[in-house]
Amino acid sequence: MKRLKYFKVLNPGLFTTVQDMGRFGYESQGVPTSGAMDEFALRIANILVENDENAPCLEITLMGPTFKVLNDAMIAVTGAEIQPLVNGFPRSCWSSFPVQKGDIVSFRPIKSGCRAYLAVAGGFKGDFIMNSVSTYTRGKLGGINGRQIEKDDVLKGGVSKPGLQAKKVRDEYIPSYSNEEEIRVILGPQDDYFSEEAVKIFLTSTYVITKDSDRMGYRLEGPEIKAKEGHEIKAKEGHDIITDGILPGAIQIPGNGKPIVILKDAQTTGGYKKIATVISFDLSKLAQLKPGDKIRFRTVDLTEAHKILAEAENKIKKIKETLKVLKYYKVKVNERYYDVGVEPL
């Protein structure tokens, strides 16, 4: 497949990686799924530029990168409230917009949320390993040589569909991000290792995400959760259950009683008790929280979790059906025309 050079990296931002929806089926070999922390935002970014929803995007964490555009393209930005700029002119988040060869794409500081997603029509290219381009930095897999992007990298992508139009998600479908979120969980698989009082503490307390948190997991500070007598951690062995499988969303309780929420780059097995598991849709809400933000947990049953997932898929369907088409107009600056304004059609 033909590849085009789309961007030269002038500034990589704080932590920017190539991610798709992740690699699956390799957990038995110790390889985590990785992939976009906020799958909802990644899918919508791809929809805005008419990519497959699993096409690789750039995941931008807290501080945006700066690029020089090497070929005309249509790009989209979703996720955290971060102002995209093209040659200093503002663009809307949760929208797609054209960029021309020679343009400079940059971002203002994030106002809310933690992670933004940048899609290019045709999708970004990277190292395709185990059926995914997702970057797993600890294992040096995928993306650009298994690492975050760096200054002077040249980012390549596929050829886009002809005749693409700039589009925007309607305001009513754009999520708002807070520094305190309610996260829905299903209890288990080892909630029976905890007393009713311990489970109640877990479900009624507010926890703070510590600075020792990343794509592997969020460590939480708050009231301690203690196991029932006979199920305490065995300090010498360093674990308290026979090691079993672990997936993104699992909430482990280690010996200090402080919960750890397992995320996309976490290990595939673990020996700590898991009091609960975050429902899949709320993993995207977690992705937009950062150190210092607060979490409260609420339990739901499997039927309600399935209903929430179905509602989320229906929302994505409605977003596709109701995208607003935008028309950019040009101004001439120093003998060059720039797309600077936008009007909804």
Side-chain angles (χ1 to χ4, degrees):
M1 179 183 292
K2 183 179 179 181
R3 296 186 180 190
L4 295 178
K5 296 178 180 179
Y6 279 120
F7 300 114
K8 181 177 180 180
V9 179
L10 304 181
N11 184 322
L14 181 64
F15 188 82
T16 305
T17 57
V18 178
Q19 301 290 345
D20 53 27
M21 299 278 277
R23 53 182 56 85
F24 300 91
Y26 300 94
E27 291 88 348
S28 63
Q29 299 174 43
V31 180
T33 60
S34 298
M37 290 276 282
D38 185 343
E39 291 185 4
F40 176 80
L42 175 133
R43 290 173 67 183
I44 301 303
N46 278 318
I47 287 168
L48 283 163
V49 292
E50 298 187 23
N51 287 344
D52 182 274
E53 291 180 25
N54 188 39
C57 296
L58 295 181
E59 181 178 88
I60 297 165
T61 306
L62 289 174
M63 184 185 300
T66 301
F67 306 117
K68 182 176 182 179
V69 178
L70 302 179
N71 269 294
D72 294 359
M74 185 72 75
I75 67 174
V77 178
T78 61
E81 188 181 358
I82 186 172
Q83 178 77 71
L85 303 171
V86 179
N87 303 317
F89 295 111
R91 295 288 182 265
S92 296
C93 202
W94 294 90
S95 78
S96 58
F97 46 89
V99 291
Q100 303 175 74
K101 182 177 180 180
D103 286 347
I104 302 297
V105 177
S106 60
F107 297 87
R108 289 181 178 149
I110 281 181
K111 290 184 178 180
S112 66
C114 180
R115 293 174 173 89
Y117 292 84
L118 189 155
V120 64
F124 284 100
K125 299 301 177 184
D127 298 337
F128 189 73
I129 298 173
M130 298 178 181
N131 298 318
S132 173
V133 176
S134 282
T135 308
Y136 173 44
T137 56
R138 283 183 170 83
K140 298 182 180 179
L141 298 177
I144 310 299
N145 299 321
R147 56 167 171 77
Q148 65 195 81
I149 67 170
E150 296 178 352
K151 186 177 184 296
D152 294 328
D153 279 344
V154 173
L155 306 181
K156 299 177 182 179
V159 179
S160 66
K161 296 178 182 178
L164 292 180
Q165 294 177 299
K167 299 174 184 176
K168 187 178 188 302
V169 176
R170 292 187 179 274
D171 291 345
E172 60 264 33
Y173 295 122
I174 297 176
S176 60
Y177 303 120
S178 170
N179 58 9
E180 183 170 350
E181 290 283 1
E182 179 182 81
I183 301 299
R184 292 162 291 191
V185 301
I186 295 175
L187 291 177
Q190 285 102 26
D191 57 305
D192 58 327
Y193 278 43
F194 302 90
S195 67
E196 289 185 8
E197 180 62 25
V199 173
K200 182 179 179 181
I201 290 171
F202 171 73
L203 292 173
T204 58
S205 300
T206 297
Y207 290 90
V208 178
I209 300 172
T210 73
K211 60 181 178 60
D212 298 318
S213 299
D214 54 22
R215 282 179 49 91
M216 187 173 183
Y218 285 173
R219 293 182 178 271
L220 306 182
E221 184 62 43
E224 294 181 8
I225 309 298
K226 294 298 185 182
K228 291 178 183 176
E229 186 175 350
H231 291 299
E232 304 91 345
I233 187 169
K234 299 172 184 177
K236 290 184 180 179
E237 289 89 341
H239 57 81
D240 56 352
I241 62 170
I242 295 174
T243 296
D244 65 0
I246 194 166
L247 294 171
I251 302 175
Q252 293 184 319
I253 306 296
N256 63 6
K258 302 298 178 66
I260 302 172
V261 184
I262 298 302
L263 297 173
K264 292 298 186 76
D265 281 356
Q267 73 278 11
T268 58
T269 63
Y272 294 134
K273 297 178 290 290
K274 296 171 284 294
I275 193 171
T277 304
V278 177
I279 66 172
S280 58
F281 181 72
D282 280 10
L283 289 174
S284 289
K285 292 171 67 176
L286 274 175
Q288 297 299 346
L289 295 172
K290 54 191 177 299
D293 288 349
K294 299 177 181 179
I295 295 175
R296 292 169 286 107
F297 296 105
R298 177 170 70 85
T299 184
V300 298
D301 61 21
L302 191 58
T303 299
E304 187 174 356
H306 285 163
K307 181 181 177 182
I308 292 166
L309 182 59
E311 289 172 349
E313 291 298 326
N314 188 52
K315 180 178 179 180
I316 291 173
K317 181 181 178 182
K318 288 183 178 178
I319 287 172
K320 289 181 182 179
E321 295 171 347
T322 60
L323 289 172
K324 293 188 291 186
V325 176
L326 305 176
K327 180 181 179 181
Y328 280 85
Y329 56 89
K330 298 178 182 292
V331 297
K332 189 175 183 181
V333 180
N334 296 328
E335 302 305 315
R336 185 178 173 194
Y337 286 93
Y338 294 93
D339 293 308
V340 297
V342 62
E343 297 173 346
L345 294 182

